[in-house]
Amino acid sequence: MSDFDYDLFVIGGGSGGVRAARVAAGEAGAKVALAEEDRYGGTCVIRGCVPKKLMVFASGYGDTIEEAAHYGWDVSAGDFNWQSFSGHLNTELDRLEGVYRKLLAGSGVTTYDARARVADPHTVELSTGDTVTAKHILVATGGRPVRPEMKNAHLGIVSDDIFHLPELPKSILIVGGGYIACEFACILNGLGVEVTQYYRGAQILRGFDEEARGLIAEEMSQKGIDIHTGTNIVEMYRTPDAGQDGPAMPIEPRQFGGDEPEDDARGGPIRVKATSGGVQDFDAVLFATGRRSNTDDMGLEEIGVTLGRNGQIEVDAYSQTKVPSIYAIGDVTDRVNLTPVAIREGMAFVETVFNGNPTPVDHTLIPSAVFTQPEFGTVGLTEEAARDQEPIEVYCTSFRPMHTAFAGKPARVLMKLVVSAATRKVLGCHIVAPGAGEMIQMAGVAVKMGATKEDFDRTVAVHPTMSEEIVTMRNPTRTA
Ligand code: NDP
């Protein structure tokens, strides 16, 4: 008989925490509890991947209808109705949250709708006033978007807020050049919002293959997104209300250099001064400037858990912290911040702690997708990283795909393989194309298995598809 209330207490009901709790209780037979202070499902289900992907689908219909006309359909796009879409979206998110709760209950996990704090290596204090003990504690509290430190930053929204907008803005400035910035630039552009994007570096999507980044930026610009690289916000303030909507709210005209009251959402567009010197008004500003781990006021450092500069929990290969009874998985550890990785980390934790089979998570060759338009699917090394490592051959082709070329569109796609000159192994595969997320999952299997360029070559093409080019590139485009 255990001296503790539970074998495992999980803090955080997102993808990683829920999976670990379910598997520990349902398959390993542990007595498990889980606390979640917000909605079950976490970032991915409630304010990330799932609602984002549904918005990606919504935003693609304008193009589809336009293309349909070239294919002989007598159709034209009407207006996008945000309220109607977000109603359906919220219903779907409620359903999914219910599924998560049911899965936990069905596995015998006790749930607490409360905020949890660690009091000592085996004790958790809940905002309900309860205190519970557990042999092991698993922290899976994820992360949250952060605004840059600047005057009036509260005037800008973050990605969590997008799904709750009462209406879509007519114009938006998106600050940042990462996954979230680029995905929302494409989504909002597709929904008819005038999108301007400021990125402080030389090219968006830093860290990804340069050629792929270049094509995505070109395609985004081609679709009407006004990308300003080497540009950041210097200052912003809310302009006075023009007064056409409802009773005029008397507010002081403000200007650069002034402080906005924290709670004042009245007024007209947000006036932004850029590092380039330009001044422009936007209905909304979205900060997509990175995320921070959720470890504030959790009592972790006090009991010896070490945190990194971004608040992330430092763990070893088995997700164990410096305090042996406390483990952490998912975005709160800021390793590879992707849902399927958090789930893997949760499964490996259960295998290690409850099944007596120490299992580190393999963080190499993780395929992933950026849901820009066109999509970007990628696995393995970029050309730049590979050529720093060893001599390589690059096989690359860029072309206008049949589907949109027929509709008279200039859109291009890119298929690229980075190959080791010595071992012939495919070190990296990068695809920019509609559906690239689906394609890279398949290519990822081959690359993970260590497939060589010759393995790709002896695979017969599926015709006519875009991805057949991945097995028909005969001669290297360049060597390095
Ligand atoms: P990223 O780290 O990808 O991007 C942050 C961006 O903000 C970078 O372009 C960064 O510039 C810029 N930035 C940071 N600080 C400032 C500042 N003070 N002023 C101006 N710009 C700034 O973070 P995201 O929030 O976009 O995404 C977080 C993570 O979530 C991703 O890394 C990914 O793991 C995950 N994610 C995955 C998705 C997917 O799989 N499709 C979708 C969305 C998120 P710089 O490059 O110069 O540092």
Side-chain angles (χ1 to χ4, degrees), residues 49 52 145 147-149 159 175-183 198-201 203-206 208 231-233 287-291 331 336-339 368-371:
C49 322
K52 180 274 307 283
R147 293 173 174 80
E149 294 211 351
S159 58
V175 185
Y179 279 81
I180 294 180
C182 295
E183 290 184 344
Y198 286 178
Y199 174 51
R200 63 185 179 181
Q203 182 58 284
I204 57 169
L205 294 171
R206 181 168 66 82
F208 290 103
T231 306
N232 208 345
I233 289 197
F287 286 116
T289 47
R291 299 175 64 86
D331 286 9
V336 179
N337 298 334
L338 298 171
T339 302
S368 70
V370 187
F371 292 98

Side-chain angles (χ1 to χ4, degrees), residues 17-98:
V18 168
R19 178 63 67 91
R22 277 175 53 205
V23 178
E27 290 176 23
K31 192 175 176 200
V32 182
L34 180 148
E36 168 58 56
E37 65 173 329
D38 198 331
R39 297 185 66 184
Y40 286 72
T43 298
C44 172
V45 176
I46 303 297
R47 58 193 86 85
C49 322
V50 171
K52 180 274 307 283
K53 190 79 191 275
L54 291 169
M55 285 184 76
V56 169
F57 292 140
S59 70
Y61 282 99
D63 276 353
T64 304
I65 292 166
E66 209 180 291
E67 287 153 17
H70 287 268
Y71 280 89
W73 289 88
D74 185 11
V75 285
S76 58
D79 288 332
F80 173 70
N81 185 326
W82 170 249
Q83 280 77 16
S84 158
F85 170 75
S86 59
H88 293 307
L89 179 66
N90 287 327
T91 306
E92 178 60 1
L93 299 187
D94 289 346
R95 186 186 73 80
L96 290 172
E97 185 182 8

Side-chain angles (χ1 to χ4, degrees), residues 49 52-53 56 176-187 197 204-209 212-213 215-217 219-220 288 337-338 366-379 382 429-441:
C49 322
K52 180 274 307 283
K53 190 79 191 275
V56 169
Y179 279 81
I180 294 180
C182 295
E183 290 184 344
F184 276 110
C186 294
I187 289 168
Q197 185 176 357
I204 57 169
L205 294 171
R206 181 168 66 82
F208 290 103
D209 186 86
R213 298 160 72 192
L215 181 63
I216 295 166
E219 292 294 321
M220 284 170 64
N337 298 334
L338 298 171
I366 295 171
S368 70
V370 187
F371 292 98
T372 41
Q373 293 162 18
E375 270 175 34
F376 179 29
T378 179
V379 61
T382 63
C429 175
H430 311 283
I431 301 176
V432 179
E438 303 289 346
M439 296 177 204
I440 206 67
Q441 181 69 81

